[in-house]
Amino acid sequence: MVICVAENINIMSKTIGPAMKERNPGPIQDMARVLTENGADYLDLNIGPARKGGDEMMDWLVKTVQEVSDLPLSLDTTNLVAMEAGLKANTKGKPLMNSVSLQPERLEKGIPMVTQYKADVIGLLWGKEGMPRDADERAAMAVDFIYQANEAGIPTSDIWIDPIATPICVDANQVLSGLEFMSMLGEIVPEAKSILGLSNVSNGAPEDLRPYLNRTYMIMLMKYGLYSAIVDGYDKELLSIAKGERPEHVKLVHDIMDGNKPDPASLDQKELEHYKTTRVLMGKVLFSNSWLTT
Ligand code: THG
């Protein structure tokens, strides 16, 4: 089972963005209802950087969503004033702070909020020098984050480490490095939780093909105990996989990762899609927008 954080309530969306700015609850509450029905475990409320008035926006958004859904919330903003407003407005379950990075000023302000509001926190592996370059750097940063959070009294089980997923069309090596990191985290700090934005991986790929990358990558990460993922809450197939309802596809992908090559002629359409996508994500086949058809 993978905990699913629905990413759809975000300011970049063509319908939700204007509704947030106009404080129009209708489209947001409609979406929150559907995501809840679809089986999301958390709702991510993403207001972006929201430099001005982010606190008012987050306060309004939390209250608006809580009127129609009992799901716990993931408060997604880099503006810590807006983050605190969301934490104050929250009345449903334990909120998830998305996120606190390793940048010193963010840690300094973000960490005390975690304990004050009894929240969970996403430890975003982004430091002084930006993004980690490989799995070893990610592991070192994860240990550093957990150590500093523990020092402040936050138990490791409240920390969800996010190694930051990058688009496969930008750098296929980073996709592999995310997998390698996930296997390392389970060995170094088994009590720490993990989270990853799956849609980042397919960013830039044709819209109708993105779900294939998201789903197969999630299955690959599940091999190493992925705890949660930020997902498209309208992708019902992906939610089914996360809930453990596609064991045969999970087994197929994990077998391929173990080096067992299935006979492509024996696979049905869906299995073939997983097979081809696994090979692309493993770096065995170069990614191109026609990876499913060639
Ligand atoms: N880690 C953490 N938080 C995150 C991310 C992460 N928050 C933001 C992002 N990554 C996850 N959220 C989204 C939200 C939308 C999309 C991708 C990731 C997306 N939207 C479509 C697009 O841009 O084409 C459609 C937008 C719409 O709704 O109209 O792809 O990695 N901790």
Side-chain angles (χ1 to χ4, degrees):
M1 292 274 281
V2 176
I3 301 287
C4 291
V5 180
E7 71 195 6
N8 309 78
I9 303 178
N10 80 85
I11 197 147
M12 305 289 280
S13 149
K14 283 184 217 67
T15 51
I16 298 302
M20 280 188 197
K21 286 169 201 150
E22 293 158 12
R23 306 287 195 268
N24 173 15
I28 297 167
Q29 293 184 329
D30 288 347
M31 185 180 271
R33 280 193 198 93
V34 175
L35 296 170
T36 306
E37 272 167 31
N38 285 357
D41 299 296
Y42 279 75
L43 299 176
D44 189 72
L45 305 184
N46 184 346
I47 62 166
R51 285 197 185 81
K52 270 200 194 142
D55 48 343
E56 256 177 71
M57 167 104 79
M58 188 61 103
D59 172 75
W60 175 82
L61 187 57
V62 166
K63 288 172 178 162
T64 298
V65 168
Q66 285 180 157
E67 279 175 19
V68 299
S69 175
D70 290 327
L71 289 180
L73 303 176
S74 158
L75 307 173
D76 193 345
T77 179
T78 47
N79 175 343
L80 284 170
V81 177
M83 181 70 79
E84 183 156 26
L87 292 167
K88 280 187 177 144
N90 178 72
T91 59
K92 315 262 178 185
K94 202 175 186 186
L96 180 59
M97 287 174 63
N98 186 7
S99 56
V100 175
S101 75
L102 274 154
Q103 290 161 299
E105 76 281 5
R106 305 220 171 257
L107 268 174
E108 212 174 285
K109 289 193 183 136
I111 291 292
M113 279 187 208
V114 183
T115 44
Q116 187 181 345
Y117 294 95
K118 298 186 174 56
D120 278 0
V121 63
I122 296 181
L124 192 73
L125 302 188
W126 184 283
K128 270 184 250 167
E129 283 101 46
M131 232 185 85
R133 283 162 295 184
D134 59 21
D136 289 333
E137 277 191 17
R138 285 187 169 84
M141 287 173 82
V143 169
D144 188 14
F145 186 93
I146 293 164
Y147 174 79
Q148 297 202 51
N150 286 165
E151 286 286 287
I154 300 167
T156 304
S157 55
D158 288 355
I159 302 170
W160 305 28
I161 295 292
D162 184 339
I164 310 182
T166 38
I168 183 161
C169 63
V170 172
D171 189 354
N173 280 320
Q174 290 297 325
V175 174
L176 275 177
S177 154
L179 283 168
E180 194 186 346
F181 167 76
M182 211 51 77
S183 76
M184 291 166 81
L185 184 66
E187 283 169 22
I188 343 171
V189 198
E191 322 86 79
K193 297 184 162 88
S194 54
I195 186 161
L196 184 139
L198 285 176
S199 300
N200 292 19
V201 173
S202 62
N203 213 330
E207 211 52 43
D208 55 322
L209 299 179
R210 292 183 66 177
Y212 298 98
L213 290 164
N214 300 346
R215 292 169 196 157
T216 307
Y217 193 45
M218 181 173 72
I219 295 178
M220 293 173 81
L221 291 159
M222 285 163 72
K223 190 170 197 288
Y224 305 115
L226 177 71
Y227 177 76
S228 70
I230 305 173
V231 306
D232 174 3
Y234 288 97
D235 186 346
K236 291 189 178 174
E237 173 78 16
L238 184 134
L239 289 161
S240 291
I241 297 168
K243 289 178 195 315
E245 292 163 6
R246 299 285 185 274
E248 67 288 7
H249 294 151
V250 173
K251 183 178 183 306
L252 173 73
V253 170
H254 292 182
D255 280 350
I256 298 166
M257 292 170 77
D258 285 334
N260 302 322
K261 203 170 179 293
D263 174 9
S266 72
L267 303 177
D268 67 24
Q269 178 70 20
K270 228 173 208 154
E271 290 167 339
L272 202 56
E273 288 160 0
H274 278 302
Y275 170 71
K276 289 183 174 178
T277 309
T278 304
R279 306 246 312 150
V280 161
L281 289 166
M282 283 174 77
K284 303 275 185 211
V285 176
L286 206 60
F287 176 79
S288 82
N289 285 342
S290 56
W291 91 94
L292 275 182
T293 43
T294 49

